[in-house]
């Protein structure tokens, strides 16, 4: 093992993702303390243009696996190709973005390498011996834990987009490029077409009325009713992170610390517990109504009007009242 810091360069739609440039920035800061090279590892198809782009940044080395079977991200093939880069570089630290690709790839690689992985880091520090201190929110974000990986190498972390400062421009550093050959079988899954979602980004910050949906909403039928009611009262709907994490609502509607901060005239929280990270994004709302079956739920501590009850009973009553007045 050497002292190098290896960064996975994430490519989507033929473009290097911002998070990878941020990780390279973090890698440069770490290498300045521990020594070693800042190494970019890139995997994909037709990479020559992207490699030229990478050379314009303040990095030392680029390793690439360029293969037509790597045109689209597929876990198996990318894991095999990037593992080849890792075993060739033999780095002290590996960084990946905490994106859907990074979150898919990183645990698979850490299992293959038999090492630890700290996910979703917000701060990285290193000592002169190369021990990495990986800080991330813990216990519901109420405190930050600094995690070390003393027994195994390489040390691996994923870092959320937008946390680190991006790498600076190359000021005359010679960047070597090493191409590796990896036998990549024709993927077992064939991607026929990539369709980019062209949805509008919801502007919940501007809404005067928000119906905000939490895990307690229950099934899809209730979810649809809440969304329908939001339209009926000329508002829109937002949600807690639970609904984003389970893929039911898009992230642009998430309220809270890692979502958006809202201040509507009316915030109606349905089945939201009121975790501190959620309250941080909505407690300044003018009037808050909360529906929750648990009378001790924290959402009631900020609510102007609290309704203790089961959503399955309250929602039909709300619907009836709203329809009566709105239709
Ligand atoms: C670093 C970090 C950042 C985070 N950022 C955010 C953020 O930006 N926004 C955010 O929302 N969260 C965020 N979270 C997550 C947060 O800690 C909570 O896990 C999340 O807010 C919980 O969502 P919830 O209230 O919908 O679900 P739960 O906590 O599971 O609560 C569900 C609630 O529904 C009630 N309920 C269940 N069934 C019914 C029923 N039938 N009728 C009535 N009530 C019912 C329950 O009593 C409960 O109170 C973050 C966490 C971390 C660690």
């Amino acid at each position: 093992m050497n002292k190098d810091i290896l960064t996975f360069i994430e490519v989507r739609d033929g473009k290097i993702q911002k998070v990878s440039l941020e990780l390279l920035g973090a890698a440069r800061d770490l290498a300045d303390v521990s020594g070693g090279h800042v190494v970019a590892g890139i995997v994909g198809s037709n990479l020559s243009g992207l490699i030229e782009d990478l050379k314009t940044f303040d990095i030392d080395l680029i390793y690439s696996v360029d293969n037509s079977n790597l045109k689209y991200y597929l876990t198996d093939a990318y894991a095999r190709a990037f593992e080849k880069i890792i075993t060739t570089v033999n780095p002290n630290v590996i960084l990946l973005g905490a994106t859907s690709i990074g979150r898919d790839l990183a645990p698979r690689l850490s299992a293959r390498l038999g090492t630890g992985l700290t996910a979703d880091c917000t701060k990285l520090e290193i000592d002169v011996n190369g021990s990495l201190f990986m800080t991330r929110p813990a216990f519901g974000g109420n405190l930050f834990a600094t995690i070390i990986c003393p027994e195994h190498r390489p040390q691996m972390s994923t870092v959320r987009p937008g946390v680190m400062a991006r790498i600076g421009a190359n000021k005359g550093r010679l960047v070597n490029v090493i191409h590796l050959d990896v036998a990549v079988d024709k993927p077992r899954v064939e991607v026929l077409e990539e369709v980019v979602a062209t949805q509008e980004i919801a502007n919940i910050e501007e809404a005067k009325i928000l119906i905000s949906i939490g895990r307690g909403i229950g099934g899809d039928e209730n979810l649809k009713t809440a969304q329908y009611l939001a339209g009926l009262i000329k508002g829109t709907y937002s949600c807690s992170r639970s609904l984003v994490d389970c893929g039911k609502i898009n992230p642009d509607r998430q309220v809270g610390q890692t979502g958006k901060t809202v201040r509507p005239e009316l915030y109606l929280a349905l089945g939201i517990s009121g975790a501190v990270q959620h309250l941080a994004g909505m407690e300044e709302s003018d009037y808050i109504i909360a529906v929750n079956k648990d009378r001790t739920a924290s959402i009631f501590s900020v609510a102007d009007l609290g309704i203790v009850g089961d959503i399955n009973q309250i929602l039909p009553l709300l619907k009836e009242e709203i329809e009566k007045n709105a239709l």
Side-chain angles (χ1 to χ4, degrees), residues 4 40 51 97 122-123 136 160 220 225 238 251 266 286 300 314:
D4 294 348
I51 288 173
T122 51
K123 189 169 154 195
R136 56 153 298 151
R160 283 193 180 201
D220 287 350
T225 304
S238 55
L266 173 65
D286 288 351
F300 289 133
I314 308 286

Side-chain angles (χ1 to χ4, degrees), residues 137 140-141 214-216 240-242 254-259 271-275 277-278 292-294 297 309-312:
R215 201 198 311 267
S240 71
R241 184 157 137 193
S242 307
Q254 180 187 318
V255 170
Q257 187 185 310
T258 45
I272 292 180
S273 59
Q277 298 87 0
H278 186 83
N292 198 302
K293 68 177 182 186
D294 174 8
D310 191 323
I311 288 284
N312 297 307

Side-chain angles (χ1 to χ4, degrees), residues 109-296:
L109 289 167
S110 77
R112 286 180 181 213
L113 300 166
T115 191
L117 166 69
T118 305
D120 275 4
C121 294
T122 51
K123 189 169 154 195
L124 297 172
E125 290 167 305
I126 202 162
D127 66 17
V128 286
N129 301 317
S131 296
L132 187 65
F133 299 86
M134 301 168 270
T135 302
R136 56 153 298 151
F139 296 104
N142 293 319
L143 51 88
F144 285 90
T146 299
I147 296 166
I148 53 172
C149 180
E151 309 285 336
H152 299 279
R153 290 292 182 270
Q155 303 161 96
M156 288 186 70
S157 22
T158 62
V159 180
R160 283 193 180 201
V163 175
M164 306 286 175
R166 60 184 268 169
I167 183 122
N170 189 340
K171 298 198 177 109
R173 203 185 283 270
L174 182 69
V175 183
N176 284 321
V177 183
I178 297 155
H179 301 284
L180 300 177
D181 270 334
V182 179
V184 185
D185 298 336
K186 198 166 181 305
R188 283 178 292 171
V189 177
E190 192 184 350
V191 180
L192 298 178
E193 191 189 359
E194 244 185 353
V195 182
V196 180
T198 52
Q199 75 208 7
E200 277 177 35
I201 302 291
N203 197 358
I204 58 171
E205 295 107 312
E206 300 298 322
K208 290 205 162 85
I209 301 176
L210 278 175
I211 294 192
S212 209
I213 307 165
R215 201 198 311 267
I217 195 73
D220 287 350
E221 214 40 56
N222 285 351
L223 180 66
K224 278 192 206 133
T225 304
Q227 290 166 330
Y228 158 73
L229 292 181
L232 221 49
I233 52 176
K234 302 202 170 33
T236 188
Y237 65 93
S238 55
C239 66
S240 71
R241 184 157 137 193
S242 307
L243 276 278
V244 173
D245 287 347
C246 69
K248 290 196 170 174
I249 295 184
N250 286 328
D252 55 325
R253 291 185 184 269
Q254 180 187 318
V255 170
Q257 187 185 310
T258 45
K260 292 178 175 170
T261 302
V262 297
R263 208 175 176 156
E265 288 169 13
L266 173 65
Y267 190 87
L268 172 54
L270 300 176
I272 292 180
S273 59
V276 280
Q277 298 87 0
H278 186 83
L279 299 186
M282 49 65 73
E283 61 194 343
E284 298 299 325
S285 304
D286 288 351
Y287 198 83
I288 299 169
I289 304 177
V291 182
N292 198 302
K293 68 177 182 186
D294 174 8
R295 64 175 58 250
T296 68

